[in-house]
Amino acid sequence: MFKLKEYNTNVKTEILAGITTFLTMVYIVIVNPIILSDAGVPFEQVFTATIIASIVGTLWMALGANYPIAIAPGMGMNAYFAYSVVGSHGGIDYQSAFAAVFIAGLIFVILSLTSFREKLIEAIPGNLKHGITAGIGLFIAFIGLRLTGIITDHPTNLVALGDLHSPSVVLALIGLAVTLVLMVLGVNGALFFGMIVTGIVAYFTGELSFKEGFVAMPHLPEGLLIANPIAAFGDVIQNSLYAVVFSFLLVTIFDTTGTMIGVAQQAGLMKGKTMPRARQALLADSFGTSIGAMFGTSPTSAYIESSAGVAAGGRTGLTGLTVAILFIIAAFFGPLVGAVSGISAITAPALIIVGSLMMGAVSEINWSELDEAFPAFLVILSMPLTSSIATGIALGFIAYPLMKVVKGKAKEVDPLLYLFAVLFLYQLAFLPH
């Protein structure tokens, strides 16, 4: 079913890769409820909805597209939901905001059933694809460094070296060293085993504890939030949430597409400019977004943390299936998952190392031609500096056709790039991002 021999992998490697991906992204089941609870949504509601959306999206990706890419509610869009839509959009309550997410998800499904998103992937120039891969790598490495305090905020230089004596930094450096040694020695599953060693150290040094116990039954305090699609349309129209729907749609399309390209390229699964089974893959986050909104969570997205599993050897949907099964189990171990995911030093080394591996894509960029190199450079630079994959993609999409036009190569640019350059200009200028 997963064609393991064709992709030169095996069951053990795929399961270890799935565990690695899960451990690097499981923080979302804690962080997402914390953010959305600021919008008034019950913590338990979002916790369960987050897991449901992740299971649905990841299972579709695994079984329908056979990719080692996990789906879960996206960071950034949850903050937009909580603080821009519910927080300041004319007194909109979270039920109406979820209606907007649901409608965006339905439109997403329709677009994914057409050849539109497939054509979009093929239309993206190779140098931009390499820039997206490298930019995501730099971004997740930066996240790993900041989560642990190795890098901290600085009033003048924006960032600076953190306190190397703090427990979090020391633990992260130990984990980084152990994981790097294992990788240099060629140990399969080095990223996963590095997390295990780091977790053990954290437990015996008192940084990791389980004060809230281990097990709790998942539940939905408010039941199904979106049960009637017609009523959801009515909410959007009544509250004039068209711009909100467009924002959710535009950002998630490019966030997910960019991440899929980056992870697929890292795994060696791209066939030239084409992503095989792209339509099936692109449906995963569409369904995840719609179903997640019904239960009470913000839009889903392909997760850049999937690259950690790819680096651990994941190449097929068996990796994703493992992630989905672990999410099912996690639903019954909320306190335990919360304790582990609360120690960023356990998972941060994997993000840093994977980031370094993905940065290798810069060697594929044609640096000798400025009209090709600069848009890619802009993507790489802006992703970590704006903390947004979508913003990096937007700036690259705007810069690329502009530079081609100036150089007299306007006909070489796919018409879709011109269309989205205009849409991105509008989004950056007038919509939240």
Side-chain angles (χ1 to χ4, degrees):
M1 178 180 181
F2 296 111
K3 302 178 181 178
L4 300 182
K5 289 184 179 179
E6 180 180 328
Y7 290 100
N8 194 29
T9 185
N10 55 63
V11 173
K12 179 183 177 182
T13 298
E14 293 291 304
I15 291 176
L16 282 174
I19 294 171
T20 300
T21 296
F22 176 77
L23 288 176
T24 58
M25 67 181 289
V26 69
Y27 67 86
I28 193 62
V29 302
I30 301 301
V31 176
N32 200 46
I34 289 173
I35 292 175
L36 294 191
S37 63
D38 285 347
V41 194
F43 186 97
E44 296 85 357
Q45 182 84 21
V46 187
F47 174 79
T48 304
T50 297
I51 289 177
I52 291 172
S54 302
I55 292 169
V56 170
T58 303
L59 275 180
W60 185 281
M61 182 70 74
L63 303 178
N66 197 27
Y67 277 111
I69 300 174
I71 303 290
M75 291 294 291
M77 291 312 316
N78 50 11
Y80 171 55
F81 179 99
Y83 306 121
S84 295
V85 180
V86 178
S88 60
H89 200 282
I92 299 300
D93 60 19
Y94 64 80
Q95 286 92 347
S96 297
F98 281 129
V101 176
F102 178 74
I103 298 305
L106 287 184
I107 298 173
F108 220 2
V109 170
I110 294 170
L111 290 177
S112 297
L113 286 171
T114 68
S115 60
F116 174 78
R117 288 181 70 184
E118 255 179 287
K119 288 180 178 177
L120 175 61
I121 291 179
E122 295 176 8
I124 300 175
N127 286 300
L128 277 185
K129 288 178 182 176
H130 297 311
I132 289 169
T133 303
I136 291 172
L138 195 58
F139 180 41
I140 64 174
F142 187 56
I143 289 174
L145 291 169
R146 291 197 65 172
L147 281 175
T148 57
I150 296 175
I151 285 179
T152 58
D153 294 332
H154 189 280
T156 304
N157 299 325
L158 301 183
V159 293
L161 186 65
D163 179 9
L164 297 183
H165 298 284
S166 74
S168 176
V169 172
V170 171
L171 181 62
L173 291 175
I174 290 173
L176 187 60
V178 169
T179 308
L180 284 171
V181 168
L182 292 175
M183 291 192 72
V184 169
L185 293 176
V187 176
N188 289 327
L191 291 172
F192 169 67
F193 291 121
M195 291 181 203
I196 295 294
V197 172
T198 310
I200 293 172
V201 173
Y203 179 77
F204 284 107
T205 57
E207 294 178 64
L208 177 61
S209 61
F210 306 99
K211 297 178 182 178
E212 302 297 324
F214 296 92
V215 181
M217 286 295 292
H219 66 290
L220 293 162
E222 299 194 358
L224 203 61
L225 296 181
I226 304 293
N228 187 339
I230 297 175
F233 273 106
D235 266 353
V236 169
I237 295 171
Q238 181 181 348
N239 295 290
S240 300
L241 296 176
Y242 311 112
V244 173
V245 171
F246 181 70
S247 294
F248 281 134
L249 188 62
L250 194 62
V251 175
T252 49
I253 280 179
F254 285 95
D255 201 340
T256 294
T257 302
T259 302
M260 283 186 184
I261 290 172
V263 175
Q265 197 152 308
Q266 181 201 0
L269 301 176
M270 296 289 286
K271 303 295 183 183
K273 294 177 64 177
T274 304
M275 182 177 177
R277 305 177 305 283
R279 190 173 301 181
Q280 297 94 312
L282 295 168
L283 277 169
D285 62 310
S286 310
F287 284 122
T289 293
S290 297
I291 294 174
M294 293 173 67
F295 289 96
T297 189
S298 47
T300 60
S301 176
Y303 254 58
I304 55 177
E305 284 84 353
S306 302
S307 54
V310 169
R315 293 294 180 273
T316 73
L318 182 54
T319 294
L321 177 61
T322 302
V323 173
I325 291 172
L326 290 173
F327 268 117
I328 293 173
I329 296 171
F332 298 93
F333 290 88
L336 174 62
V337 170
V340 174
S341 62
I343 309 298
S344 57
I346 295 175
T347 56
L351 298 180
I352 297 167
I353 293 170
V354 169
S356 73
L357 297 175
M358 295 185 72
M359 276 297 294
V362 297
S363 64
E364 304 294 329
I365 296 173
N366 181 7
W367 294 106
S368 63
E369 296 185 30
L370 190 61
D371 57 322
E372 291 285 342
F374 185 78
F377 167 75
L378 199 57
V379 171
I380 296 169
L381 182 69
S382 56
M383 280 187 184
L385 293 185
T386 64
S387 297
S388 171
I389 293 171
T391 298
I393 294 170
L395 293 175
F397 267 66
I398 293 168
Y400 189 87
L402 282 177
M403 297 197 71
K404 288 296 183 181
V405 169
V406 170
K407 198 167 182 180
K409 297 181 178 179
K411 292 183 179 179
E412 294 182 8
V413 180
D414 192 288
L416 275 176
L417 292 186
Y418 288 114
L419 170 63
F420 284 99
V422 173
L423 290 176
F424 272 129
L425 274 172
Y426 175 79
Q427 190 253 338
L428 290 178
F430 302 108
L431 299 178
H433 50 82

